Amino acid sequence: MKTSLNLTEKQSRQSRNPFQSAFKRLFDIAGSAACLVLLTPVYAGVAASILAEDGRPVLFKQKRTGKDGVTFDIYKFRSMKVQQASGTGKTADDKYNWPDRVPDDFVFKPASLDNPNITKAGKFIRKYSLDELPQLYNVLKGDMSLIGPRPEIIEITRCYDAQQRERLTVKPGITGWAQVNGRSSMNHGEKIKHDLYYVNNTSLTLDIKIIIKTATQVLLGKNAS
């Protein structure tokens, strides 16, 4: 069931500009559909490598927070061993329970590429961000955009203050301004700063700049987690 956060400011710059919002959605539909078709051999190759090494499932699904706090299922290629992909140990509520806001110095720590629970295929697809490719389906559905703040874990967004919630006034993206300016290496305060810059300066020119920077980083495997 989809739920939403009580946002103090739900009207984003995109929603105040109907033409820009419509154009961005058309760009998302055309871009995601074209990529899904063109990248079919890559999808098949990644799926085959996951199946050959660690069996099913090929995809990993997780709830994330989207635009205006509405939750949705995000899809990724599974990169961790089956028994680890579902998660064990502390619950997210145990880890993320700040009373006022998410601290600026908080750094989300995804599993390192040296983690023994990551498969050999998983190391490769994470390094080159191939695990994110199934999110093109999320874009086609309308849950996400090609460009925007990365969709955050629900338990973290529950701790947002009013300023931090402003990043939820646009659709989350496969890549965004924060990702091309540091990806997994930045703390939460820096991420919010970059995401709010994008929210307040959304434009076709900025989206193209982000796409070009993303392509460069992916080819170099830069700042992969």
Side-chain angles (χ1 to χ4, degrees):
M1 179 181 296
K2 291 186 175 182
T3 60
S4 62
L5 297 172
N6 292 320
L7 300 178
T8 57
E9 175 62 46
K10 288 189 175 182
Q11 189 177 39
S12 66
R13 177 174 174 174
Q14 287 181 309
S15 64
R16 293 195 298 267
N17 187 333
F19 176 78
Q20 180 172 281
S21 181
F23 182 84
K24 186 175 178 69
R25 180 59 187 148
L26 287 173
F27 181 77
D28 283 340
I29 292 172
S32 60
C35 287
L36 283 167
V37 172
L38 293 173
L39 295 174
T40 297
V42 178
Y43 277 82
V46 171
S49 66
I50 294 170
L51 286 170
E53 182 178 358
D54 201 45
R56 297 177 182 274
V58 169
L59 296 178
F60 171 74
K61 182 174 72 172
Q62 186 181 52
K63 291 285 185 185
R64 293 290 178 95
T65 303
K67 184 178 183 293
D68 295 337
V70 176
T71 61
F72 68 98
D73 291 320
I74 193 173
Y75 297 95
K76 293 187 176 189
F77 279 123
R78 181 172 61 84
S79 59
M80 300 189 77
K81 295 175 182 178
V82 172
Q83 64 269 27
Q84 296 295 327
S86 59
T88 57
K90 288 186 176 181
T91 65
D93 285 323
D94 292 329
K95 294 189 292 183
Y96 312 125
N97 57 359
W98 306 287
D100 301 316
R101 68 196 301 271
V102 182
D104 286 344
D105 61 357
F106 167 68
V107 178
F108 181 77
K109 298 281 189 182
S112 151
L113 292 181
D114 295 326
N115 189 312
N117 294 318
I118 298 179
T119 62
K120 292 179 181 178
K123 290 181 181 180
F124 180 83
I125 65 175
R126 280 195 180 196
K127 181 176 180 179
Y128 293 101
S129 300
L130 299 178
D131 57 324
E132 310 288 356
L133 288 180
Q135 288 158 43
L136 288 167
Y137 175 64
N138 286 117
V139 175
L140 193 61
K141 283 177 60 184
D143 297 325
M144 295 175 59
S145 177
L146 291 174
I147 311 297
R150 285 294 296 160
E152 187 61 273
I153 295 170
I154 296 170
E155 290 74 18
I156 293 179
T157 60
R158 284 175 181 164
C159 300
Y160 278 0
D161 65 5
Q163 182 190 42
Q164 293 168 341
R165 284 196 296 271
E166 289 179 22
R167 76 186 294 272
L168 303 178
T169 59
V170 298
K171 282 185 181 181
I174 292 180
T175 186
W177 188 239
Q179 283 60 50
V180 298
N181 284 283
R183 296 182 71 180
S184 60
S185 63
M186 66 174 57
N187 64 33
H188 192 265
E190 292 171 326
K191 182 175 75 171
I192 290 293
K193 180 183 72 174
H194 288 301
D195 286 342
L196 294 187
Y197 174 85
Y198 179 80
V199 168
N200 294 317
N201 295 277
T202 302
S203 68
L204 177 60
T205 301
L206 183 57
D207 280 1
I208 291 174
K209 184 176 181 179
I210 291 170
I211 289 172
I212 293 171
K213 284 195 168 189
T214 299
T216 302
Q217 289 188 345
V218 168
L219 290 173
L220 296 175
K222 185 180 179 182
N223 289 327
S225 59

